Amino acid sequence: MDLQIAGKTALITGASKGIGFAVASALAAEGVRLVVNARDAGALGEAAERLRALGAEVHPVAGDVSELKHVKSLLAATREAVGDPAILVANAGGPPTGPAETLDDAAWARGFELTLMSAVRLARGVVPAMKAAGWGRVVFVTSLSVKEPIANLTLSNAFRSGVTAFARTLANEVAEHGVTVNSVAPGYTLTERLDELFADDYARARLVSTIPARRFAAPEEIASAAAYLCSAQAAYVTGQMLLVDGGMVGTTY
Ligand SMILES: NC(=O)c1ccc[n+]([C@@H]2O[C@H](COP(=O)([O-])OP(=O)(O)OC[C@H]3O[C@@H](n4cnc5c(N)ncnc54)[C@H](OP(=O)(O)O)[C@@H]3O)[C@@H](O)[C@H]2O)c1
């Protein structure tokens, strides 16, 4: 299906690998002009080359989205490269892990800046121009932890729920201007993040056995959902959280 976004501009953060790179690839295939971000400039440059091989216009801008000054310079560099982005896909690495009982204030502060405030700052930075243009798409990459807390991922559980509530609130504020705000909540997906969290084969096999689909997601499967939310066809879908989890979260609602 043609998503009818060819020629539009997108800023995708956390885009050098994993889910973010898969989203960038999906939008590149639709003819979207891309600004891609991650911290490691070398890996980001290589990712940009792979995206260009798909025929896309790609501008890599390195920086850490957990820091306000980097978000500001990323937004300025984006405007310089492609103008105000019509699409934002806000993604990054996961916050520090640890149990709720013992995580210290420094870890909480890190999770707040990385997971919640990066999303808030990026969205605040792009939404005014989207409203003025009468068209915009904001997609946050969150996690199934929003529906069902994951043991030891206290900060992900807490701050991604915050992102989801922020998205719902912002969605209602801007819907009349043709701007939609949604999130994609991935289930367990085959990326380096999964390798970090579940290095042990036995733990991985046990985890897979709890997923109704009996397999992990490919990053491209999460990206397809994100790309749909960026499409012209999704114009009337806003404030939603789209779980892409192979059936893992077993609740009816
Ligand atoms: N994989 C899963 O099973 C799964 C499930 C649910 C939710 N999620 C969430 O989905 C998101 C993406 O996951 P993933 O598995 O694709 O992770 P990944 O493979 O580790 O990729 C993370 C990407 O974000 C970039 N990044 C990390 N921290 C950043 C920062 N502070 N500023 C800018 N870029 C940053 C990384 O590049 P640099 O390191 O160079 O910055 C990389 O490009 C994460 O938040 C993760 O927690 C993942």
Side-chain angles (χ1 to χ4, degrees):
M1 181 163 70
D2 175 5
L3 300 184
Q4 296 173 34
I5 48 177
K8 291 208 180 284
T9 54
L11 168 59
I12 307 170
T13 62
S16 65
K17 58 189 176 190
I19 293 166
F21 179 77
V23 173
S25 302
L27 296 187
E30 292 294 321
V32 175
R33 301 166 61 210
L34 302 177
V35 174
V36 291
N37 153 270
R39 290 167 304 176
D40 179 337
L44 182 65
E46 286 167 25
E49 278 310 316
R50 282 186 278 146
L51 293 167
R52 287 190 191 109
L54 301 172
E57 175 187 328
V58 186
H59 304 267
V61 182
D64 184 339
V65 293
S66 70
E67 290 188 39
L68 175 60
K69 67 175 186 218
H70 284 284
V71 171
K72 282 184 173 167
S73 59
L74 171 61
L75 291 169
T78 300
R79 285 187 198 104
E80 199 171 310
V82 297
D84 289 305
I87 297 167
L88 166 68
V89 180
N91 174 58
T97 58
E101 196 179 349
T102 53
L103 271 175
D104 63 16
D105 283 9
W108 276 93
R110 171 88 189 124
F112 173 72
E113 295 291 338
L114 174 66
T115 304
L116 180 60
M117 287 315 294
S118 67
V120 170
R121 288 169 179 148
L122 286 162
R124 279 193 319 220
V126 299
V127 157
M130 291 178 178
K131 280 171 64 182
W135 200 100
R137 299 284 183 269
V138 176
V139 178
F140 300 110
V141 177
T142 62
S143 169
L144 59 66
S145 67
V146 166
K147 286 288 281 186
E148 187 174 343
I150 300 172
N152 212 43
L153 297 192
T154 311
L155 298 174
S156 176
N157 300 338
F159 288 122
R160 293 188 199 286
S161 296
V163 172
T164 308
F166 168 69
R168 175 78 252 189
T169 311
L170 180 63
N172 290 354
E173 288 176 13
V174 300
E176 68 181 296
H177 301 285
V179 180
T180 68
V181 184
N182 294 289
S183 54
V184 171
Y188 294 99
T189 308
L190 287 165
T191 68
E192 286 180 23
R193 169 80 171 160
L194 192 74
D195 293 340
E196 272 168 38
L197 293 175
F198 298 95
D200 165 73
D201 283 348
Y202 177 69
R204 284 170 86 97
R206 270 190 54 185
L207 180 58
V208 163
S209 74
T210 65
I211 303 171
R214 301 286 182 261
R215 65 177 180 83
F216 295 122
E220 293 75 17
E221 292 176 300
I222 312 302
S224 300
Y228 164 68
L229 293 172
C230 295
S231 72
Q233 289 87 345
Y236 208 57
V237 178
T238 197
Q240 300 306 303
M241 179 190 64
L242 180 48
L243 260 180
V244 187
D245 71 344
M248 176 101 195
V249 174
T251 54
T252 303
Y253 299 106

